[in-house]
Amino acid sequence: MATRYAASLSFLLSQLGAHVAHRFGTELAETGMSPRGFGVLSNVIDLGPRTQQHLADELGIHRNNMVAVIDELERDGLVQRIRNTADRRSFLIQATPDGVRATSRAMNIVTALDAEIAGSIDGDSRETLDRILLELVKSAQLSPGVHPHLTSQRSPQS
Amino acid sequence: MATRYAASLSFLLSQLGAHVAHRFGTELAETGMSPRGFGVLSNVIDLGPRTQQHLADELGIHRNNMVAVIDELERDGLVQRIRNTADRRSFLIQATPDGVRATSRAMNIVTALDAEIAGSIDGDSRETLDRILLELVKSAQLSPGVHPHLTSQRSPQS
DNA sequence: TATTGTTATACTCTATAACTATA
DNA sequence: TATAGTTATAGAGTATAACAATA
C-alpha cells in the first residue's frame, strides 16, 4: 500500500514525467543523441541556422552549457559550426544531412513512445488527454518545447 | 514557434512533470523537508516504524543514500532512529510528532499545488485527467508513490 | 565597454565499493 | 558468510566566474 500523495495530480504528473523522460533517453541513445542534443538539433532544423547564443535563449540552456552540446553534435557529424560573416564573434549552427536523418529517426521514437505510453487508453481519452495537457502547459506558462530541466531554475532533486 | 516534439504526449508529460516537481520542491522547502525526505517520512507514517533497508526497498532508494535522508530528517527532529531489539544491526525509523505535523503541512502543499496546476480546467476534465493518469501509471507498471528519480535507473538528463 | 564563445572551478547528486557491527 | 548501516571516492551534471576575440 502506498501513501496519500501517490494519487495526487502533482505526484502522478511528476512520476509519469520522470518515467517518460527516462524511457525517451534510453530509446534515443540509439541515435547517438542526448535528449538535449535532440532538442537543440530539432530547433536548428525548424528555425534554420542560428547562433549558439540564440539557441541557448530559445531553449533556456545557458550558453556555457551549449558549448558542450554543440561539441557533441558536431563530433557526431550532425551539425556544423559556420563562422557568422555578419558578426565574427559568433557561429551559425547548421544541421547536416546526417543531422536531419537523426532527427527524423528521433521523431519516430517520440511517436512510438507516445503510442506505448498511451497504449492502454482509448482514442477518445487520448484526445482528451492531449487537449488537457496542452492546456495545463499553457496555463503554467511553460514555453512550448522548452524543457524545465534545461533551464536554469536549479531544480530540487525529485 | 516551437518544434514538432513540443506537442507530443511524451514531451508534454515530461515537461509538465519536471515543472510540477520543481514547483513542489520549492513549496516544500517551507517545511524544511526535501522531496525525498517527504517521501520517506510519509511512508514511515503510513507503514509504521520500519528499518532503513525496508524503506529503501519500498521507495527504490539505495540504502547508502537513505542514510543521508534519515540523517537530515533526524537532525530536524522529524524522525528518530530506534535500535531494533529484534535485530541489533538495524534501526527502526519512527516519526516524531513534529514529523507528523510536517507531513500534514506537506500534504496541504500537495493539495494546493494540485489545485494550482489544474486550476484552468473544469471539474469533468479534472476527473478524466486523474483517471487517465492513474491508468497510465498502472500500464507503465510504475509502483504507486515511487518516484523514478529516487530509484537507481541512472536516468539520462532530460 | 559589451557580447559570443570558451574554459576552469566548485558544488550537488548519486553510483560503487569498502568498512563495522551484528547475525 | 551474509546483512544493516555507514563512510569514502569517483563520476555525472550544472552554476559561476573569468578569459580571448570581436563588436
Side-chain angles (χ1 to χ4, degrees), chain A residues 55 113 118 130 139:
Chain A
L55 292 167
L113 184 57
D130 284 350
S139 82

Side-chain angles (χ1 to χ4, degrees), chain B residues 109-151:
Chain B
I109 290 173
V110 170
T111 304
L113 184 56
D114 281 6
E116 175 193 315
I117 297 295
S120 67
I121 62 179
D122 64 67
D124 279 356
S125 293
R126 172 66 190 278
E127 282 179 34
T128 304
L129 179 61
D130 285 350
R131 180 177 55 73
I132 297 177
L133 292 181
L134 275 170
E135 174 62 30
L136 294 185
V137 165
K138 192 175 166 191
S139 82
Q141 298 186 303
L142 299 173
S143 303
V146 176
H147 198 291
H149 273 181
L150 302 180
T151 195

Side-chain angles (χ1 to χ4, degrees), chain A residues 37-52:
Chain A
F38 164 67
V40 168
L41 179 51
S42 181
N43 275 271
V44 166
I45 289 173
D46 285 4
L47 301 173
R50 290 291 186 275
T51 65
Q52 297 182 195

Side-chain angles (χ1 to χ4, degrees), chain A:
Chain A
M1 204 274 308
T3 41
R4 292 154 284 173
Y5 63 81
S8 69
L9 175 60
S10 298
F11 185 80
L12 289 175
L13 283 173
S14 178
Q15 182 185 30
L16 272 168
H19 170 69
V20 171
H22 178 258
R23 290 278 296 113
F24 177 62
T26 302
E27 299 291 323
L28 189 66
E30 151 204 319
T31 69
M33 286 188 285
S34 64
R36 61 170 48 195
F38 164 67
V40 168
L41 179 51
S42 181
N43 275 271
V44 166
I45 289 173
D46 285 4
L47 301 173
R50 290 291 186 275
T51 65
Q52 297 182 195
Q53 180 67 59
H54 185 100
L55 292 167
D57 292 343
E58 194 77 32
L59 286 168
I61 302 175
H62 196 283
R63 68 197 166 99
N64 298 7
N65 299 326
M66 184 61 75
V67 175
V69 180
I70 301 294
D71 281 352
E72 191 181 273
L73 291 171
E74 191 175 42
R75 170 175 53 73
D76 295 343
L78 305 181
V79 302
Q80 281 182 315
R81 280 180 166 97
I82 313 284
R83 261 301 169 200
N84 186 359
T85 51
D87 181 346
R88 292 177 38 74
R89 289 174 300 182
S90 62
F91 292 104
L92 291 174
I93 308 304
Q94 188 168 44
T96 66
D98 274 359
V100 174
R101 275 189 288 273
T103 301
S104 178
R105 269 185 289 141
M107 283 307 301
N108 289 339
I109 289 172
V110 170
T111 305
L113 184 57
D114 281 6
E116 176 193 315
I117 297 294
S120 66
I121 61 178
D122 63 67
D124 279 357
S125 292
R126 170 66 190 277
E127 282 179 35
T128 305
L129 179 61
D130 284 350
R131 180 179 54 73
I132 296 176
L133 292 182
L134 274 170
E135 174 63 31
L136 294 185
V137 165
K138 192 176 166 189
S139 82
Q141 298 186 303
L142 299 173
S143 303
V146 177
H147 198 292
H149 273 182
L150 302 180
T151 193
S152 305
Q153 317 184 6
R154 186 83 294 240
S155 75
Q157 59 273 51
S158 122

Side-chain angles (χ1 to χ4, degrees), chain B residues 33-70:
Chain B
M33 288 188 285
S34 64
R36 60 169 48 194
F38 163 68
V40 168
L41 179 52
S42 181
N43 275 271
V44 166
I45 290 173
D46 286 5
L47 301 174
R50 289 291 185 277
T51 65
Q52 294 182 198
Q53 180 66 60
H54 184 99
L55 292 167
D57 291 344
E58 195 76 31
L59 286 166
I61 302 175
H62 196 283
R63 68 198 168 99
N64 298 7
N65 299 328
M66 183 62 74
V67 175
V69 180
I70 302 293

